[in-house]
Amino acid sequence: MIQGTGIDNPGDFAPGWLKDYLDATQWNKYPQSFHLLSGLLALSAVAGRRSSLVRSTFSLWPPTSVLLLGPSGTGKSQSLYIARDVVEKAVVAPWRNEHGVHRHRRGFVLTEQSFTPRGLLEEWLRVQATHGTTFLEGLHVETEMSKILPPRAGNEQMDTWIIGTQEHRNVEAITGHRGRQVITDVTVAFGFASTVPYLRNSISADQFAGGLMHRFLIANEPSPRRGTPIRHGTPTDETKQALARGLVEIHLKAPAELTVDRKAEAALTRLAQQRKYFNESTLSGFWERLAELTAKVAMLFTLADRRG
């Protein structure tokens, strides 16, 4: 989780395409922490299942969901919309596969705003069946979590469903006219935005710490960014198009498999061992998967660097 404006210049360490994205948004009035996570969201969604990071007993796929937190006026929605626009320009470009050229990338679903699990599953089923793929990639942007997560009443299912989709496995759908259907290899990234008070009323501390924190990248900006010079607003259409071309290049050139070298593996092991210093049962799930989430971010940084 990124708290406050502690990362004012993430472009100083971001590689390749991610630096291009942050350079394009640096004079926007919204926090760079939001743009950093939105850039990772766009990159991960378009990378889809093109690459995987091989671990000892499983593989990690790029799609990574994000949650932007802050009061009204901090730019949560606009930051996500910039990323969504770039992704849209990337996936509607002509794509070529064994079936020829297609206007839209096969097996990719791009949706936004209010949904029910049933409605979204129906759309996923439709896309997978229409495109004839054995996987489902995509991006869903939800700028107001209050539209899909009501205040807690003790019988919540939506938050559990959202967390479950982040496992990047098969998802089961029960439809009224087709019965039980299975959507295979779902790797859809979510971009969510919410205020902190509403999130507290909608998701329990156990669900947040044990579910969202180690499956989502989270940035919290308590107040609008102060003292930022504004040269222009959102990136131009031409800039978004250039960023989209960069994502297409990454998708086409990315290696099928990535591995963790010895030094990085040792660092991940040390990170996982930090759990012993925090004896808090609520955070046990977070500490168990923190190394995995860190490895995933490292994978995205590697993919962003188109030189290697």
Side-chain angles (χ1 to χ4, degrees):
M1 175 186 288
I2 300 173
Q3 175 69 34
T5 53
I7 299 182
D8 281 329
N9 297 297
D12 292 344
F13 60 81
W17 181 89
L18 193 57
K19 177 174 174 54
D20 294 343
Y21 187 92
L22 292 170
D23 286 346
T25 57
Q26 67 175 325
W27 297 113
N28 183 275
K29 65 180 180 179
Y30 306 123
Q32 282 288 282
S33 61
F34 285 175
H35 292 311
L36 171 62
L37 265 59
S38 297
L40 288 170
L41 173 69
L43 169 62
S44 72
V46 175
R49 300 181 72 87
R50 179 64 180 86
S51 289
S52 65
L53 180 63
V54 179
R55 309 297 290 137
S56 57
T57 58
F58 58 91
S59 294
L60 293 173
W61 302 100
T64 304
S65 295
V66 305
L67 172 59
L68 307 185
L69 298 173
S72 297
T74 48
K76 305 182 297 295
S77 299
Q78 291 305 313
S79 299
L80 289 175
Y81 280 140
I82 293 172
R84 184 210 174 280
D85 289 349
V86 172
V87 170
E88 182 178 34
K89 292 179 183 300
V91 299
V92 300
W95 285 83
R96 179 181 293 277
N97 62 16
E98 65 274 15
H99 301 292
V101 176
H102 298 273
R103 180 60 181 164
H104 295 268
R105 194 167 110 188
R106 282 185 169 272
F108 195 99
V109 58
L110 182 62
T111 52
E112 63 180 291
Q113 301 309 3
S114 305
F115 71 89
T116 62
R118 181 172 180 175
L120 201 58
L121 289 171
E122 287 278 5
E123 176 63 10
W124 290 359
L125 280 169
R126 185 194 67 79
V127 170
Q128 193 166 68
T130 302
H131 293 185
T133 59
T134 58
F135 59 85
L136 187 79
E137 303 167 324
L139 171 66
H140 179 87
V141 170
E142 193 72 44
T143 59
E144 290 293 341
M145 288 193 77
S146 59
K147 295 179 180 178
I148 61 169
L149 284 181
R152 275 182 286 158
N155 59 348
E156 290 73 33
Q157 294 183 347
M158 177 67 84
D159 46 6
T160 302
W161 184 85
I162 292 171
I163 292 170
T165 62
Q166 302 307 295
E167 297 297 331
H168 294 169
R169 300 172 182 169
N170 296 349
V171 174
E172 183 177 294
I174 306 297
T175 62
H177 58 290
R178 286 183 291 181
R180 178 180 177 274
Q181 300 286 313
V182 176
I183 309 167
T184 55
D185 289 336
V186 174
T187 41
V188 175
F190 287 83
F192 286 127
S194 178
T195 64
V196 171
Y198 191 87
L199 193 67
R200 286 174 177 160
N201 290 332
S202 302
I203 300 179
S204 68
D206 286 342
Q207 288 170 318
F208 182 78
L212 286 181
M213 278 183 64
H214 59 76
R215 290 180 174 89
F216 281 66
L217 298 178
I218 304 172
N220 178 29
E221 292 288 345
S223 60
R225 193 170 183 183
R226 300 175 293 276
T228 303
I230 304 174
R231 294 183 182 176
H232 50 71
T234 59
T236 64
D237 190 69
E238 291 76 11
T239 299
K240 293 177 182 177
Q241 191 68 55
L243 290 170
R245 288 195 296 269
L247 288 181
V248 173
E249 179 185 353
I250 288 172
H251 183 275
L252 295 176
K253 294 184 177 180
E257 288 187 355
L258 297 169
T259 56
V260 180
D261 67 26
R262 186 174 301 177
K263 288 184 178 179
E265 195 68 70
L268 291 174
T269 300
R270 290 194 299 272
L271 182 62
Q273 291 172 345
Q274 296 298 307
R275 177 186 176 187
K276 63 186 178 183
Y277 300 113
F278 300 88
N279 186 21
E280 172 57 59
S281 59
T282 302
L283 292 172
S284 60
F286 168 74
W287 282 107
E288 285 176 2
R289 295 204 180 192
L290 179 58
E292 175 185 319
L293 185 60
T294 303
K296 202 169 187 181
V297 174
M299 171 172 55
L300 294 177
F301 271 53
T302 300
L303 292 175
D305 188 355
R306 288 165 289 186
R307 295 169 298 179

